[in-house]
């Protein structure tokens, strides 16, 4: 296959969210809330098990009352916030304002780190004339994250589920991505970390390649190893 266009997932593919421990510590510090070390560890364990950090570990169990919001969370900003603040509220934190503060923190650029080879691969694709787009199941605008980390100039189009009312693996979302980068699906490769969601691009005729959703320090060359950039 001669690649003429590449679509990328966001979380777990190009970027990784900070660990739950760092996420909570940052919010407690910003909110001026001091907690005992043993309480902090209990909050970290609880939030991790609850799956309260978007892009972080999945919930061990989704409460029945949140099942619908979780299933449709990437369709609207309101559903996304409802789902994740709802999961967080399953943990008794020392202040009612912390749940929204935690949610707001995860949307900030400093909460995200690009994988080590992301800039290299995206730069190589652009230099080779290969159009680049981002297709993400998400409930908020991730463009500021790309801008803050210097990747925005390397992306021609963003297709965000909450802006289109479609969630991957719906083929329609990938079709929009191919259209926006001006490439036929048969000439486009979709890169993601979720076999189900990102694999939906295959129904449109795209080739699909996968990376592992690992911490940044454990995946130094996952994108590079896919051989997307012509030699």
């Amino acid at each position: 296959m001669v690649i003429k266009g590449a679509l990328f997932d966001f979380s777990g593919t190009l970027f990784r969210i900070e660990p739950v421990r760092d996420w909570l510590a940052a919010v407690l510090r910003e909110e001026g809330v001091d907690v005992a070390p043993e309480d902090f560890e209990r909050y970290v364990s609880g939030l991790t098990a609850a799956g309260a950090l978007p892009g972080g570990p999945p919930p061990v169990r989704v409460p029945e009352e949140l099942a619908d919001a979780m299933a449709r969370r990437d369709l609207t900003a309101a559903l996304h916030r409802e789902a994740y603040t709802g999961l967080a509220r399953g943990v008794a934190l020392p202040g009612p304002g912390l749940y929204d503060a935690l949610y707001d923190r995860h949307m900030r650029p400093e909460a995200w780190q690009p994988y080590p080879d992301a800039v290299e691969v995206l730069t190589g694709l652009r230099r080779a004339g290969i159009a680049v787009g981002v297709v993400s199941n998400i409930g908020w605008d991730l463009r500021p994250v790309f801008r803050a980390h210097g990747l925005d100039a390397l992306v021609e189009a963003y297709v965000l589920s909450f802006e289109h009312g479609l969630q991957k693996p719906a083929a329609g979302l990938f079709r929009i991505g191919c259209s926006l980068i001006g490439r036929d699906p048969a000439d486009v490769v979709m890169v993601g970390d979720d076999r189900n969601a990102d694999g939906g691009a295959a129904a449109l005729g795209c080739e699909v390649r996968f990376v592992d959703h690992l911490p940044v320090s454990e995946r130094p060359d996952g994108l590079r190893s896919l051989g997307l950039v012509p030699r």
Side-chain angles (χ1 to χ4, degrees):
M1 173 189 183
V2 176
I3 299 173
K4 297 182 180 179
L7 300 175
F8 291 86
D9 174 53
F10 167 55
S11 175
T13 299
L14 292 175
F15 283 83
R16 171 83 179 204
I17 190 66
E18 63 189 343
V20 173
R21 177 178 301 276
D22 297 351
W23 174 57
L24 176 61
V27 169
L28 292 176
R29 184 171 57 250
E30 291 165 0
E31 296 294 311
V33 178
D34 293 320
V35 299
E38 60 271 23
D39 290 332
F40 179 78
E41 295 301 326
R42 179 162 50 84
Y43 300 146
V44 169
S45 296
L47 291 168
T48 300
L53 173 58
V60 171
R61 182 187 67 85
V62 176
E64 184 177 349
E65 65 272 18
L66 291 175
D68 181 64
M70 281 296 291
R72 300 188 302 119
R73 65 188 181 276
D74 296 314
L75 293 176
T76 71
L79 279 170
H80 197 268
R81 180 179 287 270
E82 175 189 345
Y84 283 104
T85 57
L87 292 174
R89 290 179 199 281
V91 180
L93 297 178
L98 290 175
Y99 301 104
D100 280 312
L102 284 168
Y103 184 83
D104 292 341
R105 163 77 188 181
H106 103 275
M107 296 186 287
R108 287 160 50 179
E110 59 266 35
W112 295 88
Q113 185 177 356
Y115 281 94
D117 53 352
V119 172
E120 173 192 333
V121 169
L122 294 186
T123 299
L125 291 171
R126 291 301 300 271
R127 286 176 176 168
I130 297 172
V132 172
V134 170
V135 180
S136 177
N137 276 353
I138 197 164
W140 51 276
D141 186 3
L142 52 73
R143 294 173 183 87
V145 175
F146 280 76
R147 286 196 293 269
H149 290 278
L151 275 70
D152 182 62
L154 303 173
V155 177
E156 294 183 32
Y158 295 92
V159 183
L160 311 183
S161 61
F162 84 104
E163 293 182 339
H164 297 278
L166 290 171
Q167 293 182 151
K168 294 183 293 185
L173 208 60
F174 303 106
R175 184 177 291 109
I176 293 169
C178 292
S179 176
L180 289 177
I181 65 172
R183 299 293 188 269
D184 188 285
D187 299 322
V188 173
V189 60
M190 173 66 203
V191 179
D193 66 295
D194 188 315
R195 264 62 178 175
N196 177 50
D198 299 312
L204 198 61
C206 299
E207 181 178 329
V208 185
R209 302 182 190 181
F210 296 102
V211 291
D212 294 322
H213 190 148
L214 294 171
V216 167
S217 62
E218 297 177 22
R219 211 194 77 193
D221 60 356
L223 293 166
R224 187 186 306 118
S225 67
L226 295 179
L228 301 170
V229 181
R231 295 185 180 277

